[in-house]
Structures are given as C-alpha cells and as structure tokens.
Amino acid sequence: MKTLLTLAWRNLWRKKRRTFITVSSVMFAVVLAIVLMSMVNGMKQQMIDSIISNISGHLQIQDVLYHDEPTMDHAMEYGKEVQDAVAAHDEFIEYTVPRIEGFCLASKELSTRGVYLMGVLPEKEDRMNNLLSRLKEGRMFTAEDDFVVIARGVANQLNLSVGDTIVLLGQGFQGMTAAGTYQVGGILEFPLPEQNNTLVYMPLQEAQHFFAAPGRLNSLILMLSDVSMADHLAGSIQEELDDEWYTLKTWEELMPDKVAAFEARDAQVRVFAWVLYIVAGFGIFGTIITMMYERLREFGILLSIGLKRSQLAGICMLETLFISIIGVIAGVFVGFPIVYWFYANPIQLADDLAEVMIDFGLEPFMSFSIASDIFVYQVLTIFIIALVVGLYPVRKLFRLDMISAARK
Amino acid sequence: MKTVIKTSELSKVYTNTAVPVHALKNVNLEFKEGEFTAIVGPSGSGKTTFLNVIGGLDKPTEGHVVIDDVDIATMKESQLFDFRLRHIGFVFQAYNLIPVLTAMENVSFIMLLQKKEKKEMQRRAKEMLEQVGLSDKLDVRPSQLSGGQQQRVAVARALASKPDFVLADEPTANLDTESAFNLLDIMLRLNREENITLIFSTHDQRVIEKARRVITLVDGAVDKDEYFERN
Ligand SMILES: Nc1ncnc2c1ncn2[C@@H]1O[C@H](COP(=O)(O)OP(=O)(O)OP(=O)(O)O)[C@@H](O)[C@H]1O
Ligand SMILES: [Mg+2]
C-alpha cells in the first residue's frame, strides 16, 4: 500500500505544470462555490433570523384550529397545563412570549380603519424583536397599563397624536363584541408598510379583557437556546399537552411559503455550484486520461513483471484522488479566509439596496456564513466527482491487453 | 541437471488477422537449470511469441508449458500474475524501469511486491547494482541513466529476486555495440555466479556468439538447436 501511495504521489509530479493547472482548476471551482454558498447562506440566515424574531419565533403553542382558521374563537386557554408543559422543558427554552391578537376597526371621530391589534407583554416583545427601539414618540406601556401604542401609519391615517383617544371595535371570544376606548400613549415606526399601516399594541391583560378572553392566548411563542432543537422539542412538549386542544408549530411550519422560497434558492445555488464542479471534473478527467494514455507501455511492463491489475488501478485512483483532494484543500484554504473576512466585516450595501433591505426588516449588510457544512459539502462533492472520474482509468486498466501495451 | 522449463507440442495461432498466422508450430524444447540460451531467427519467426508464451504473458493455442511441475498454459490470469511475480524475471527491449523510482527502488520493486523483508531487500538491491557496475547510481532516476545503464538496472531487477529463470526479449536491440557487449558480459557472469537460467532473443550475430546454446526459429518452428563450448 505504501508503495502504491509513493508511486501515485511521485507520478503526479512527473508533469508538474499540468498537475498544478488541474489542481488550480479544482481550487478555483471550490473557492467560487464556497464564496457563493457562504453569501447565499449568510443572507438566508439573516432572513431566517429576521423572520424568527419579527414574526414567528422558534416554536409556538396554539389552539389546534388556530393556524388554519385564525379567529378569536380559536384562542387557547393559557393555564396550568400549558405552563407545566413549558416549565418541564425549561432548560431548552430561553423565554416565552405570549400574544393575543386579531383584526379590529379603529376610529377617531368619523374616520375608521382596519388595524391589527396585538396584546403583548412589552418586555418580552422587546427581548424578541426590540420593540422598544421602534418607539419614536410618547412612551411604552407596562403590563399593568391600559393605554395603547400605535404604528406611525395608523396614526397618520387616523390623524392621531400622542394623548388622543382611539376607539377599537372587534370580535371577541365566542361571538362577544369587543369594544373599547383607549388613549394613545406612544407611536412606533416599522420598516414594513404592512406593519406600519396596521399595528396597534396593547398590554396583554387589557387585550384579553378587550377580546373577552381572559386567561387566553392566540399563541405562546417559545424562544429556544438552540434552534436545531425545535422539532424535537415540539414533539416532546406535545406529549404533555392534550392534542385535542393544543398543537405545536415550528417556525418552518408557520412560514411554509418562506421555507419553499429558501429551498428554491438553495436549489439554484446548487445548480450553479455543480456547473463549477463539472467544469473542474472535466479538468481532472482530461488530465488523468492523458496521464493514462502516455503511460500505457509502462503499464504493460508493470503488469508483465507481476504488478496486479488491481494494484495498478489503485495507483491511478490514488492519483485522481490526490489531485482532487489537494485541489479541494487548497480551495478551502483560500476560500475560508475570504468568507471569514466578509463574515467578520459584512459588506455595507449601497443606498438603493440598503433601503430595500431595511424595507424588508433586514440590516443593510450583506452577511456571509462560515457554517462548516459549506466546506464539508465541497470536500464531499469533489471526492465523489473524483471517484466517478477515476473509474474510467480503472475500467480501462482491467481491459488492457498488457502484451500489446508493452510492445507499442 | 534439473529441467526448469519444458514445452511440448507448443503452438500459437493468431486469428485476429486477415489470414491466421501460425506464430509457433509444435515447439518441443527443454531448458535446464543454469543454461544461457539465445533464441535467434529472422524477423517474424516467433521469438517474441515464444518468450511471451513461456513467460505466462500469452496463452498457447495448443500444447503445454511445464514449469516446476505445473502447466502454466492452464492457469487463470490472476494465478499467472502471481506465478510471474514469484518465478520469472523479465527484461524487455526498452522502457523497463519505473521513471519515478530511483535505480535502487527499481531493483527492489519486484522484491517489494513479493513482500520481502526490508533489510534483506536493500542489501540484495545494492549487491545487484554493484554486480552490474552501477554502485554509484543507487539514487539516480532512470531518466539520468544512459540506455545501457538502464538495461543493466533492468537486468539487476530481474535477477535480484532470484527467479527460476529470466526472459529477455532483445535486451540489446536499442544499445550501441559496446553497451550491448557490456550487458551481455554482465548477463553471462551473473548466469555463472548466480546459476540463473537465462533465455534471451536477439538478432545480433555478435551477441549470439556469446551464448552457449543457440536455438534458431524459422516460421515458428525450431530449425536448429545447437550447443557451443565457450569460455
Ligand atoms: N498480437 C498479434 N496479433 C497478430 N499477429 C501477431 C501478433 N503478435 C505477433 N504476430 C505475428 O506472429 C508472428 C511472430 O511474431 P513475433 O513477434 O513472435 O516474431 P519475432 O521473431 O519476435 O520478430 P521480431 O524479430 O521482428 O521481433 C509474426 O508473423 C507476427 O506478425
Ligand atoms: Mg520480437
């Protein structure tokens, strides 16, 4: 075995320049693929983080029917059963965010608008999505207050300022009418128009009262210490809850369209990366074929003096693997610092793009990912390509007529 | 003296040609231990074919090749690989050596495949390179050796593992006269000192004169089989 390794290794350097060029082509493909994947994964992670903190959280406990039919009638009871189930998994849950929410009509004098009322605990929301940083005027309520804070768009549409009174009218639990008059205590600004034009925040307890649903929630958001635990934890918590009433939804289940969009994008990136790999694969293929044909006589002689076909095939396979592995290692060594640098110093986006990003609730930076699976993916893919490409000389060697090969 | 190779009614017909070629016709020959034999004959007379068949590189169409009481004509390819490795040394006309290995490594190569003990292998390789007059070229690669020196390394490799016999197909064909004589002298000396049976084919009349037994093939059949006294 050591002999085969030595032979394969030395054979590589018989034509140094050719080997160098082939290794470089593999390296460039790997570097490009790493940078591409790192960039796309970085953006994806940025978007996922934004979705999780702004919208869904990691995991939600809901009434079984709420996801398909989000009305106040499907508000769940937030009592001992849910609290115990959550407490039993305390070690994995960083904090919980309770919400009761629903559409309402908001009016001031003669103008009326549809708004989305969120009953929340302010410090929990702030921990999840920095709600307090959105406050531009007035003050935020505490859990015990009974005033509302509204988004800037709502304020503009209804011509409301801090200190004014807003009338809210909606549908409460089990057909009850929800109605109330509230003072506007503060104004929030949101980047997304659909948030900015619709959101009204109210203390949780006051909102439960408003919706005639004391002790009930539409969702209890669970923020986890480790996102990858979400699926496992969902199952485990569900076991402690009556599944006739309660269900657990991961962020992926709550946001299926987003997940599908990410998957489509991942597929595009993989196609592009595979184009790179195939180009590199042909480079390797060309080199090993030339290496083989220019040595057929040598092979004939080696086989004549007693080297087995399998040993010779092993040498050729090792040569292919060496070229590929050197290429991939070089690619990772060059690619890693590049993406690490961009990871540590995200690219600040220029004006237009930055605005788009902000509009989507994202930081105006292009962030890169340094997740290890990007690199593992390269190594495995190139390894598989090398194995496939390396089969050609192996097949050829097992059919080689050694007498005529040795004679040429 | 012990018989090393015995062929009986050996025939080889190539049928991959337009007209079938009878490259060997009923060849019955015996080679004894320690013989130094030249196979001669005009081009196309079957010298290479004969060496390939007794070396287990090619199958006879009919007949037997008995070496060490086994008929290698009936062996499977995989068995032949092993048989060649353990019993037969080969020297070809050119390009014998592995370009990426040094002279020393080339000479050790067969022994390495035979999984010989490392110390013994190195001792033997060194000894053989000394025998062929290349003790100053141990760590040199083939590309830095002359054609004659390369052939000497090939001879050293073929003999290093002490095979039952060594086959050499026109080992001097690519060499100038002086190198050819030099190589022949070395082969002759090793044949005597190591008592290794050597069979080689050649066109070269001057080289033929060194052999103690000369077998002449004509059209694939043995035309003459002569013994000479030489010193
Ligand atoms: N693989 C083959 N296929 C078909 N015919 C072959 C093959 N090998 C040899 N022959 C034929 O068999 C005959 C003997 O060839 P061989 O090579 O044994 O002769 P030779 O004595 O070694 O000749 P030379 O002195 O030119 O090397 C020739 O007629 C040759 O054309
Ligand atoms: Mg010949």
Side-chain angles (χ1 to χ4, degrees):
Chain A
M1 188 62 199
K2 190 164 158 272
T3 319
L4 303 188
L5 278 169
T6 314
L7 276 174
W9 181 255
R10 290 196 193 164
N11 280 333
L12 279 192
W13 308 108
R14 269 157 92 162
K15 297 259 164 77
K16 287 197 187 61
R17 180 178 311 173
R18 182 174 59 201
T19 304
F20 182 77
I21 290 173
T22 317
V23 165
S24 306
S25 76
V26 176
M27 185 189 87
F28 279 118
V30 168
V31 169
L32 278 176
I34 285 178
V35 171
L36 181 76
M37 287 190 173
S38 161
M39 195 170 85
V40 173
N41 280 12
M43 300 227 326
K44 175 172 145 183
Q45 199 50 53
Q46 209 179 354
M47 281 153 84
I48 290 175
D49 289 348
S50 155
I51 288 168
I52 285 173
S53 62
N54 286 319
I55 310 176
S56 68
H58 292 137
L59 206 55
Q60 293 192 4
I61 304 178
Q62 300 180 341
D63 181 277
V64 258
L65 299 175
Y66 183 70
H67 185 67
D68 293 328
E69 202 184 315
T71 72
M72 198 46 66
D73 286 347
H74 303 312
M76 66 169 183
E77 198 179 315
Y78 181 42
K80 195 167 175 342
E81 185 176 357
V82 176
Q83 280 160 6
D84 286 352
V86 170
H89 296 84
D90 207 26
E91 55 194 306
F92 304 108
I93 299 169
E94 276 201 351
Y95 60 99
T96 60
V97 184
R99 282 178 181 174
I100 188 161
E101 57 198 273
F103 285 99
C104 291
L105 291 175
S107 32
K108 182 200 173 194
E109 292 154 12
L110 289 177
S111 39
T112 300
R113 283 276 184 277
V115 296
Y116 195 72
L117 178 64
M118 300 270 282
V120 300
L121 293 179
E123 67 282 9
K124 296 285 184 109
E125 291 293 322
D126 189 49
R127 187 164 178 192
M128 182 174 162
N129 53 39
N130 297 321
L131 187 63
L132 280 179
S133 70
R134 311 246 185 242
L135 188 73
K136 295 291 139 111
E137 271 180 56
R139 63 189 180 102
M140 193 54 164
F141 49 72
T142 64
E144 293 79 32
D145 282 328
D146 59 0
F147 61 87
V148 299
V149 297
I150 62 175
R152 173 72 74 199
V154 178
N156 289 346
Q157 286 160 1
L158 293 174
N159 198 18
L160 285 162
S161 336
V162 174
D164 289 352
T165 299
I166 183 172
V167 178
L168 293 173
L169 185 69
Q171 174 120 62
F173 186 59
Q174 288 180 340
M176 303 278 276
T177 305
T181 312
Y182 297 92
Q183 198 183 37
V184 175
I187 292 176
L188 305 163
E189 282 176 12
F190 292 94
L192 285 173
E194 61 261 39
Q195 290 178 314
N196 209 38
N197 292 333
T198 55
L199 285 179
V200 173
Y201 279 87
M202 188 186 280
L204 180 69
Q205 208 177 348
E206 187 59 41
Q208 286 171 331
H209 178 72
F210 171 79
F211 282 121
R216 288 183 183 269
L217 299 177
N218 290 114
S219 53
L220 181 67
I221 295 173
L222 308 180
M223 298 302 282
L224 312 180
S225 39
D226 177 6
V227 202
S228 63
M229 292 285 292
D231 281 319
H232 170 76
L233 212 57
S236 167
I237 296 176
Q238 181 73 69
E239 274 176 27
E240 316 220 351
L241 293 174
D242 184 349
D243 58 11
E244 214 175 307
W245 289 103
Y246 299 102
T247 186
L248 277 108
K249 300 264 183 218
T250 62
W251 77 268
E252 283 164 312
E253 289 168 320
L254 293 164
M255 302 273 132
D257 49 337
K258 292 280 197 296
V259 172
F262 288 143
E263 271 165 12
R265 179 104 81 94
D266 285 351
Q268 284 171 353
V269 170
R270 272 198 297 273
V271 168
F272 193 81
W274 272 93
V275 171
L276 293 172
Y277 298 141
I278 286 169
V279 170
F282 272 107
I284 304 174
F285 191 56
T287 299
I288 63 158
I289 285 196
T290 341
M291 281 177 74
M292 183 184 70
Y293 280 104
E294 68 194 9
R295 285 186 296 170
L296 280 186
R297 177 167 42 203
E298 194 181 318
F299 289 171
I301 284 170
L302 284 171
L303 293 174
S304 302
I305 64 174
L307 193 69
K308 292 197 185 70
R309 284 180 197 273
S310 56
Q311 291 172 314
L312 193 51
I315 292 176
C316 287
M317 188 52 104
L318 283 172
E319 289 167 5
T320 316
L321 289 179
F322 276 147
I323 290 184
S324 322
I325 289 170
I326 297 172
V328 106
I329 290 176
V332 169
F333 265 87
V334 174
F336 182 76
I338 296 178
V339 297
Y340 188 83
W341 198 84
F342 285 118
Y343 167 77
N345 310 286
I347 301 173
Q348 166 92 59
L349 294 171
D351 306 345
D352 288 358
L353 216 54
E355 265 170 41
V356 175
M357 295 281 281
I358 293 169
D359 281 352
F360 282 93
L362 300 172
E363 299 286 320
F365 289 105
M366 191 142 97
S367 44
F368 282 63
S369 161
I370 52 166
S372 59
D373 48 353
I374 295 176
F375 303 97
V376 173
Y377 187 79
Q378 312 303 316
V379 176
L380 286 183
T381 316
I382 296 286
F383 186 73
I384 289 167
I385 289 176
L387 284 182
V388 172
V389 166
L391 281 181
Y392 180 83
V394 167
R395 208 180 76 127
K396 179 84 187 170
L397 280 178
F398 275 96
R399 294 173 179 190
L400 184 70
D401 175 3
M402 59 192 171
I403 302 169
S404 50
R407 223 181 236 244
K408 273 182 201 124
Chain B
M1 239 183 292
K2 201 177 126 195
T3 299
V4 184
I5 311 168
K6 182 175 163 47
T7 73
S8 45
E9 298 301 313
L10 205 58
S11 294
K12 177 75 186 179
V13 186
Y14 288 108
T15 49
N16 57 346
T17 43
V19 192
V21 179
H22 291 263
L24 292 176
K25 296 171 192 158
N26 304 324
V27 177
N28 295 295
L29 286 169
E30 252 180 69
F31 296 89
K32 302 257 191 242
E33 189 173 36
E35 274 187 348
F36 189 78
T37 309
I39 312 279
V40 304
S43 184
S45 57
K47 304 182 293 291
T48 298
T49 306
F50 179 69
L51 291 179
N52 283 346
V53 169
I54 63 173
L57 292 171
D58 208 351
K59 293 257 173 192
T61 312
E62 264 170 72
H64 307 280
V65 179
V66 177
I67 299 169
D68 252 2
D69 295 329
V70 279
D71 184 0
I72 66 164
T74 61
M75 277 190 185
K76 286 195 300 225
E77 200 202 42
S78 54
Q79 295 172 299
L80 280 172
F81 268 100
D82 210 52
F83 190 85
R84 288 198 301 270
L85 179 63
R86 307 213 168 266
H87 299 272
I88 313 175
F90 289 93
V91 179
F92 297 93
Q93 190 174 326
Y95 305 105
N96 272 287
L97 305 179
I98 303 169
V100 295
L101 298 183
T102 64
M104 191 61 185
E105 290 167 332
N106 263 292
V107 175
S108 313
F109 191 70
I110 306 275
M111 294 186 282
L112 201 67
L113 293 179
Q114 293 175 338
K115 302 199 165 68
K116 287 252 166 71
E117 198 264 320
K118 192 170 172 201
K119 279 245 171 59
E120 165 62 14
M121 194 164 79
Q122 280 176 341
R123 190 197 59 74
R124 177 71 176 157
K126 225 183 211 147
E127 177 189 62
M128 286 315 295
L129 280 168
E130 267 162 33
Q131 291 274 11
V132 300
L134 292 172
S135 45
D136 55 335
K137 303 281 186 195
L138 300 185
D139 297 320
V140 168
R141 289 203 183 177
S143 56
Q144 287 160 305
L145 295 173
S146 73
Q149 289 170 332
Q150 288 181 25
Q151 288 304 77
R152 274 144 65 190
V153 176
V155 168
R157 177 182 66 191
L159 272 71
S161 58
K162 300 197 172 145
D164 295 354
F165 58 93
V166 171
L167 301 176
D169 191 9
E170 308 208 29
T172 59
N174 284 15
L175 304 182
D176 58 63
T177 313
E178 201 192 321
S179 309
F181 274 131
N182 182 256
L183 187 73
L184 248 289
D185 284 338
I186 286 170
M187 285 167 58
L188 206 52
R189 182 161 44 81
L190 288 172
N191 160 255
R192 270 194 217 122
E193 286 173 10
E194 306 242 338
N195 197 32
I196 283 182
T197 316
L198 248 152
I199 305 168
F200 67 100
S201 73
T202 186
H203 274 119
D204 191 334
Q205 191 53 45
R206 292 158 309 175
V207 166
I208 297 168
E209 283 163 10
K210 298 256 178 192
R212 272 165 291 175
R213 182 182 178 189
V214 177
I215 296 168
T216 311
L217 293 181
V218 174
D219 285 340
V222 178
D223 185 54
K224 278 184 277 184
D225 184 358
E226 305 154 289
Y227 289 81
F228 300 94
E229 277 307 318
R230 310 204 204 268
N231 38 14

